[in-house]
Amino acid sequence: MTEPGYPRDLRGYGRNPPDPRWPDNARVAVQFVVNFEEGGENNILHGDRASEAFLSDVLGAQPWPGKRHANIESMFEYGSRAGFWRLWRMFTERKMPATVFGVATALKRNPEVVAAMKEARWDIASHSLKWIEHKDMSEAEERAEIAEAIRVHTEATGERPLGWYTGRSSINTLRLLMEAGGLLYLSDSYADDLPYWIKAGGLQPHLVIPYTLDANDMRFVNPQGFGGGDEFFTYLKDSFDVLYAEGATAPKMMSVGLHCRVVGRPGRAASLLRFLDYVMKHDGVWVPTRLQIAQHFHANLSHLAESAAEIG
């Protein structure tokens, strides 16, 4: 029984999830995200309080208030200078599309990278204005951050973002994005193997395309994460195999999260290459961008919005 007024949906689709009716009756949709954060991370050069301390090979790093961290800066620079281009070649050579979660200020600082994303017809979703925490922002501050992110993203890419993933979000993020409007999908959720609709405060229902932190290269630099490429490949393969088998009767989607400075390193890129080629050996697989998934849901499964849960 649903608890009246409880602002979370613990039931979801329940025992019988809907058939997403993927194109060509695909058994699974495999969606790859390339996070582009390099140049948008915490840095006193960007007006931030301290240096970045998250998602780098300096394990156990702590923010340095009022100081720059040369080692971490250079690791982020590797992502935009070398890692991005390795990933870009891997996907474009296989004609496999990806979605970019692009930090607006990072995109603005690297127009050559943006041009390559557009050349490959990748979906460039917003990853907020800067790659910083939103949890301590007031609603007014976060609302302003969202508006400025849309402005800078549009300036950097030539197009308004149609998708969004903050990542370092607050409990208000989804509702504030719904208020901002103009988005076809939101991704600040890890709650399902299928997209789903949400409602909030009388606003129009919005589509959520969940993301992943488990099938994600960030676990290379997290405690108790992937110790090497074999572990990463095996985890991706096992995830794919389960979803592919389930897809005979109940198709789902699989998200894979990638970072230019992490899996863009050669020793890690090898495991991603193996997985890309493994996916390509299977029939009945759709490899779309998130925007394509959103467009498919809006066109074919919008009726599910009628029973969307209210978020708090």
Side-chain angles (χ1 to χ4, degrees), residues 75-305:
M75 290 174 184
F76 274 78
E77 288 157 15
Y78 183 92
S80 58
R81 291 164 56 118
F84 170 81
W85 296 107
R86 180 168 289 115
L87 297 181
W88 184 83
R89 287 190 295 270
M90 287 165 55
F91 281 96
T92 56
E93 287 169 1
R94 288 162 179 77
K95 295 181 171 56
M96 299 175 80
T99 286
V100 176
F101 286 165
V103 174
T105 50
L107 296 172
K108 185 177 180 181
R109 290 189 170 101
N110 210 320
E112 185 180 0
V113 160
V114 172
M117 295 171 180
K118 297 182 72 171
E119 179 186 332
R121 298 180 181 274
W122 289 0
D123 163 30
I124 309 177
S126 178
H127 199 0
S128 200
L129 179 65
K130 300 197 291 184
W131 197 57
I132 61 175
E133 293 288 355
H134 285 219
K135 63 181 176 64
D136 296 321
M137 293 182 185
S138 68
E139 287 195 27
E141 288 170 333
E142 188 170 12
R143 190 177 286 111
E145 193 89 354
I146 289 169
E148 182 66 1
I150 293 171
R151 186 191 71 78
V152 176
H153 182 107
T154 303
E155 180 181 292
T157 68
E159 298 177 311
R160 191 189 193 282
L162 297 177
W164 197 288
Y165 174 72
T166 303
R168 301 167 86 163
S169 58
S170 79
I171 199 64
N172 300 312
T173 298
L174 285 175
R175 177 173 52 79
L176 293 175
L177 289 170
M178 294 170 74
E179 285 182 13
L183 297 164
L184 289 183
Y185 70 89
L186 312 174
S187 289
D188 279 295
S189 171
Y190 315 94
D192 213 296
D193 295 315
L194 282 173
Y196 60 92
W197 301 85
I198 57 172
K199 296 177 183 174
L203 298 167
Q204 286 294 316
H206 269 59
L207 182 68
V208 173
I209 303 179
Y211 186 47
T212 178
L213 297 184
D214 66 304
N216 192 308
D217 67 357
M218 67 182 288
R219 293 182 59 198
F220 277 116
V221 294
N222 280 2
Q224 297 181 327
F226 301 127
D230 286 345
E231 293 180 25
F232 184 49
F233 171 75
T234 298
Y235 193 87
L236 295 182
K237 177 183 177 297
D238 287 349
S239 301
F240 174 85
D241 287 347
V242 168
L243 292 169
Y244 190 80
E246 290 180 357
T249 56
K252 306 285 192 344
M253 70 170 284
M254 175 181 177
S255 294
V256 180
L258 309 170
H259 297 77
C260 302
R261 65 191 175 279
V262 181
V263 80
R265 293 279 180 177
R268 296 166 179 159
S271 57
L272 176 60
L273 277 170
R274 289 169 60 197
F275 182 67
L276 297 182
D277 291 340
Y278 181 75
V279 169
M280 292 181 69
K281 292 176 182 176
H282 290 74
D283 296 325
V285 178
W286 184 36
V287 181
T289 64
R290 287 187 169 240
L291 181 57
Q292 288 173 316
I293 291 175
Q295 290 167 335
H296 176 81
F297 255 70
H298 279 274
N300 299 287
L301 293 107
S302 60
H303 62 279
L304 297 176

